[in-house]
Amino acid sequence: MPPRAPRLSASARRASIIDAGRFVFARRGYEATSVEEIAERAKVSKPVIYEHFGGKEGLYAVVVDREMDYVVRRISEAIAQGEPRERLEHGALAFLTYVKDHPDGFAILAHDAPAAGGGMLSLLSDLGERVSEVFTAAFKAGGYDARAAPIYGHALVGMVTFVGQWWTTVRKPPIEEVATHIAALAWMGLRHLPKRPTSIRNRPR
Amino acid sequence: MPPRAPRLSASARRASIIDAGRFVFARRGYEATSVEEIAERAKVSKPVIYEHFGGKEGLYAVVVDREMDYVVRRISEAIAQGEPRERLEHGALAFLTYVKDHPDGFAILAHDAPAAGGGMLSLLSDLGERVSEVFTAAFKAGGYDARAAPIYGHALVGMVTFVGQWWTTVRKPPIEEVATHIAALAWMGLRHLPKRPTSIRNRPR
DNA sequence: GATGAAACCTACGCGTCCGTAGGTAGAAGG
DNA sequence: CCTTCTACCTACGGACGCGTAGGTTTCATC
């Protein structure tokens, strides 16, 4: 008989199951994850998970929620103060720091939610929405076309997340450098943006 | 007995199965897709699919390959000639046109590949790699830091794909307008990029 | 040391899904 | 009319995964 692991309090057990869930969900994706694998990793039997989270979907919801909360909090802190450009770079750096330090959480957010119900394509589109709101306010104040603000908001988030995904495979150069480049690109792009961009297709040579 | 559907030639049947497969894979994702649902939609029985494609994974591979080929061809054509900025905007427009006209294909490319084996996070990272190569050449020629080129390459692809995902949910404004905005952002950003971007963190106030 | 609750287990029912075995129906050529 | 080839079918084996029923161990408290 293998030596029984010590019993844990309810909340401690919850935490260890969440950790295991994040680990497995990140690698296999929601659909391909089996509750049994999570149980095995958390060194518990299946019913414990059902006891605490009601099922696979319940656990997934908790994991996602926690992760989402964490990123949003971190980014909010980072862009809370400073000049605009500073806030931009700090925001990018905060996100990339999350990518670096919590790759499993990032993988989950970047992947798809459970296909059922027809939710959003990616959890991150929610983040894009928030950034878009910030941009809409700024565009109105600056005399730009507010209708176009979501384009830039989502472009920014897409930029950072996609580079983040790439970075996790290469892990080089250091994220500080990456953040600097991205911030420079976005800042220069926004800074020199015409009030009403026109297509080169509508301009004669 | 329901009137039997007319028999099809092997290649015609293949095509109809590919269509059905793309449809279902796009909505459910790879894991959650059942071969039976594809068969049902293609109005065939399961063994026909196994006859033609060897199995679920085989069909998926064919669908992805076809889609990937199509996008790459379209973008290549779009950026084949013209001034740099023209090529940029035409490339973005070509991609967004694909998103608009082939939403199912786009959904598949944007989602995850079969988790098994540990392939790439998204099929689109492959596209990011190609763009990065173009950027690397251009950076070398222009005296910029070539090591940073992949950052910009992936940033660009991320920008466009993420905006594309958002656009599919809103379908507004018209893609031509979206392409113009994105191209303006990217162009202005790249145009005014310092040779060696420095972090604002390293500069005194 | 009894009692009760909380943590945890083994074992199974039930559905679903992949892939295949083995046979039928229609067309093409002798 | 008969053979044969190709498209296509029904029906099933085997595996796996979700969620639950019902019992067992540990711990605190009286």
Side-chain angles (χ1 to χ4, degrees):
Chain A
M1 237 185 286
R4 278 283 176 89
R7 292 185 126 199
L8 263 56
S9 76
S11 67
R13 190 51 89 190
R14 272 179 73 92
S16 86
I17 291 173
I18 289 175
D19 282 348
R22 182 173 39 227
F23 182 90
V24 180
F25 280 132
R27 280 141 237 266
R28 305 241 184 277
Y30 177 79
E31 301 287 353
T33 292
S34 81
V35 176
E36 230 167 61
E37 186 173 353
I38 297 174
E40 194 176 337
R41 187 170 180 84
K43 297 203 203 339
V44 214
S45 66
K46 263 196 302 175
V48 179
I49 291 178
Y50 285 87
E51 195 69 30
H52 280 294
F53 301 96
K56 186 179 171 179
E57 202 154 355
L59 173 58
Y60 183 78
V62 171
V63 171
V64 164
D65 201 66
R66 262 188 160 39
E67 237 30 61
M68 201 61 186
D69 240 51
Y70 183 81
V71 205
V72 170
R73 189 182 319 279
R74 278 309 189 83
I75 295 181
S76 299
E77 287 169 12
I79 66 175
Q81 52 182 330
E83 314 163 25
R85 175 158 190 187
E86 232 173 344
R87 294 167 60 186
L88 181 63
E89 183 168 339
H90 286 164
L93 182 58
F95 190 89
L96 290 171
T97 303
Y98 171 71
V99 171
K100 181 189 173 195
D101 294 341
H102 303 263
D104 290 353
F106 173 58
I108 291 173
L109 294 186
H111 286 23
D112 311 339
M120 50 192 115
L121 248 173
S122 156
L123 282 314
L124 290 168
S125 52
D126 196 40
L127 193 61
E129 223 57 50
R130 302 203 195 198
V131 175
S132 294
E133 286 164 22
V134 177
F135 271 63
T136 303
F139 271 42
K140 274 181 184 157
Y144 290 81
D145 182 6
R147 266 182 33 246
I151 299 176
Y152 296 94
H154 286 88
L156 200 65
V157 174
M159 223 161 79
V160 183
T161 56
F162 205 80
V163 170
Q165 281 188 11
W166 162 76
W167 189 88
T168 57
T169 69
V170 187
R171 311 223 104 216
K172 188 184 45 157
I175 46 170
E176 287 79 11
E177 206 171 310
V178 178
T180 302
H181 281 286
I182 292 185
L185 175 65
W187 178 255
M188 291 302 170
L190 291 168
R191 196 69 188 160
H192 296 89
L193 206 61
K195 297 255 171 183
R196 279 193 45 81
T198 56
S199 167
I200 58 162
R201 296 188 310 280
N202 298 331
R203 285 200 303 253
R205 287 273 186 120
Chain B
M1 234 184 283
R4 277 286 175 85
R7 293 184 127 199
L8 264 56
S9 76
S11 67
R13 190 52 85 191
R14 272 179 72 91
S16 87
I17 291 174
I18 289 175
D19 283 348
R22 182 174 40 228
F23 183 91
V24 180
F25 280 133
R27 281 142 234 266
R28 307 242 184 275
Y30 177 79
E31 302 286 352
T33 293
S34 82
V35 176
E36 232 167 60
E37 185 172 355
I38 297 174
E40 193 176 338
R41 186 169 180 84
K43 296 203 205 334
V44 215
S45 66
K46 262 194 305 174
V48 178
I49 291 177
Y50 285 87
E51 194 69 31
H52 280 294
F53 301 97
K56 187 179 173 180
E57 201 154 357
L59 174 57
Y60 183 78
V62 171
V63 170
V64 165
D65 200 66
R66 262 188 161 37
E67 235 35 57
M68 201 62 187
D69 239 52
Y70 183 81
V71 205
V72 170
R73 190 184 318 279
R74 277 308 189 84
I75 295 182
S76 298
E77 286 168 14
I79 66 174
Q81 52 182 330
E83 313 162 28
R85 176 158 189 190
E86 233 173 344
R87 295 167 60 187
L88 181 63
E89 184 169 337
H90 285 162
L93 181 59
F95 190 89
L96 290 172
T97 303
Y98 171 72
V99 170
K100 181 189 173 196
D101 294 341
H102 303 263
D104 289 352
F106 173 58
I108 291 173
L109 293 186
H111 287 24
D112 312 339
M120 49 191 113
L121 247 174
S122 156
L123 281 316
L124 290 168
S125 53
D126 195 41
L127 193 60
E129 222 57 49
R130 300 203 197 200
V131 175
S132 293
E133 286 164 23
V134 177
F135 271 62
T136 302
F139 272 41
K140 274 181 185 159
Y144 291 81
D145 182 5
R147 266 182 34 246
I151 300 175
Y152 295 94
H154 286 88
L156 200 65
V157 173
M159 222 161 80
V160 182
T161 57
F162 205 80
V163 171
Q165 280 188 12
W166 162 76
W167 190 88
T168 58
T169 69
V170 187
R171 311 224 105 215
K172 188 182 47 155
I175 46 169
E176 288 79 11
E177 206 172 309
V178 178
T180 302
H181 281 286
I182 292 184
L185 176 65
W187 178 255
M188 290 305 170
L190 291 168
R191 195 68 187 161
H192 297 88
L193 207 63
K195 298 259 171 181
R196 280 194 43 81
T198 56
S199 167
I200 58 162
R201 297 188 310 280
N202 298 331
R203 285 199 304 252
R205 288 275 185 119

